[in-house]
Amino acid sequence: MKNLKSLILFIGCAGLLLQGCGPNLNPNADKEEWIALFNGQNLEGWTPKIKGFKLGKNHNNTFRVTNGNLKVSYAAYDSFDSKFGHLFYKTKFSHYRLKAQYRMVGEQAKGGPGWAFANNGFMLHCQDPKTMTLNQDFPMSTEFQLLAGKDHDERPTGNLCTPGCHVHINGKLVEDHCIPHTKGVTYPLEKWVSIEAIVLGDSIIHQIVETDTVISFTKPVIGGVLEGLDKDKFKEGIPITEGYIAIQGESHDTEFRNIELLDLCGCKDKKALNYKSYYVKHNPSECIYD
């Protein structure tokens, strides 16, 4: 698949095969109902987890709202001191489309690792933040890596990193921690970049930058080394089919806006009042008939 249009067509065709026959009782069945994950005013619905601090402690006001944008800020830090942070959305999802815009701004925090310059990410299929240990660097997840350029170096955005898990690409298990691609573009600091993730459980995940699909993978499973991960709770080889969404903080100021999600899991029964034609996964418990 080369672009977003073909991906949407793919999802639509899959939905047609699964939705069954019969009259459609919802006149708005084709209208997409996007959820605004960020309201532009505050961090309602989001909870921070920063290394060394309990869940909910927003150390040094790392995650904040500035000029209507959700911002990862290190203005109050004297030194980064490995205080890797993540901001978790409240709801767990399995099948969805996630859209957002991001840009890297300002300077990297003093003491930040070299690789973390102009580096952030959307963490998908995250473990429940309540299960993270106090000094855990990153949640177990698949990371949609977000980058900006440095000097004249090529740093295409949209790579895949896999803290605490492995994925399959072209049918083969890939155990590398970070998996680069060759299709992306290097964007400068301060430039807004549009990204989208299409997540269909563990069947396939597409990472899209400015409408171009830069990497696709399937069958994420628990595996590999992740500092602080409770291995008693997370066993090697277990499929990862759902999870939370988190925004990363790795020492460089980053801004986000227009963070929206289209849930692709819902009632696929045409006889239900809340049937949607674009749903991919059927959840009969959500069907409403009167």
Side-chain angles (χ1 to χ4, degrees):
M1 299 180 188
K2 298 297 184 181
N3 53 46
L4 180 57
K5 289 183 179 179
S6 60
L7 291 173
I8 294 173
L9 178 62
F10 168 79
I11 291 175
C13 291
L16 287 172
L17 291 173
L18 294 172
Q19 69 192 24
C21 302
N24 174 14
L25 298 183
N26 181 5
N28 297 313
D30 297 331
K31 183 179 179 181
E32 295 180 346
E33 296 184 354
W34 287 83
I35 305 166
L37 302 190
F38 170 57
N39 62 21
Q41 300 176 351
N42 53 48
L43 298 180
E44 181 180 356
W46 296 85
T47 302
K49 174 63 184 80
I50 297 173
K51 181 180 179 181
F53 298 91
K54 292 183 178 180
L55 179 65
K57 174 67 174 178
N58 193 7
H59 173 63
N60 279 342
N61 198 24
T62 302
F63 300 101
R64 60 181 74 180
V65 178
T66 304
N67 298 323
N69 299 322
L70 193 161
K71 186 171 184 177
V72 184
S73 173
Y74 294 94
Y77 282 65
D78 293 326
S79 178
F80 179 61
D81 193 28
S82 296
K83 293 296 186 289
F84 296 102
H86 296 83
L87 186 68
F88 287 81
Y89 189 66
K90 62 183 180 181
T91 306
K92 181 166 57 176
F93 298 99
S94 64
H95 295 66
Y96 59 92
R97 290 171 60 191
L98 174 69
K99 295 195 300 187
Q101 292 177 303
Y102 82 92
R103 67 175 179 178
M104 305 295 176
V105 296
E107 301 292 332
Q108 185 182 20
K110 182 181 178 180
W115 54 263
F117 176 88
N119 190 339
N120 201 295
F122 268 105
M123 319 300 279
L124 310 178
H125 278 351
C126 285
Q127 68 182 99
D128 187 331
K130 295 177 183 177
T131 66
M132 290 183 67
T133 58
L134 186 68
N135 291 307
Q136 189 172 330
D137 288 334
F138 310 99
M140 186 195 66
S141 56
T142 68
E143 178 191 348
F144 189 148
Q145 188 184 56
L146 308 176
L147 299 173
K150 181 178 182 181
D151 300 324
H152 298 292
D153 295 340
E154 291 293 321
R155 301 183 84 221
T157 193
N159 300 308
L160 168 65
C161 294
T162 56
C165 65
H166 302 312
V167 302
H168 292 74
I169 296 179
N170 297 323
K172 295 181 179 180
L173 180 67
V174 179
E175 298 184 352
D176 297 346
H177 171 59
C178 281
I179 304 163
H181 62 82
T182 59
K183 302 178 182 178
V185 175
T186 299
Y187 294 97
L189 293 168
E190 309 290 338
K191 179 176 176 57
W192 286 105
V193 181
S194 297
I195 60 102
E196 177 170 355
I198 297 179
V199 181
L200 304 180
D202 68 342
S203 62
I204 195 163
I205 297 175
H206 303 285
Q207 296 183 178
I208 301 162
V209 178
E210 297 289 353
T211 76
D212 288 330
T213 304
V214 295
I215 195 166
S216 299
F217 59 95
T218 65
K219 300 178 181 178
V221 296
I222 298 173
V225 177
L226 177 57
E227 188 77 25
L229 182 68
D230 187 342
K231 288 291 189 178
D232 290 332
K233 294 180 179 178
F234 299 95
K235 303 294 186 181
E236 294 267 340
I238 294 177
I240 305 171
T241 61
E242 61 181 6
Y244 292 84
I245 294 168
I247 289 171
Q248 200 168 53
E250 290 191 310
S251 75
H252 201 122
D253 285 14
T254 313
E255 293 182 341
F256 297 86
R257 68 185 184 188
N258 300 327
I259 307 173
E260 299 178 295
L261 182 140
L262 182 67
D263 197 349
L264 301 177
C265 181
C267 180
K268 291 184 60 61
D269 185 350
K270 282 189 173 183
K271 297 179 181 179
L273 300 177
N274 59 336
Y275 157 79
K276 287 291 185 178
S277 62
Y278 56 81
Y279 286 150
V280 173
K281 183 177 175 60
H282 182 47
N283 185 350
S285 67
E286 293 188 3
C287 292
I288 300 172
Y289 294 98
D290 53 30

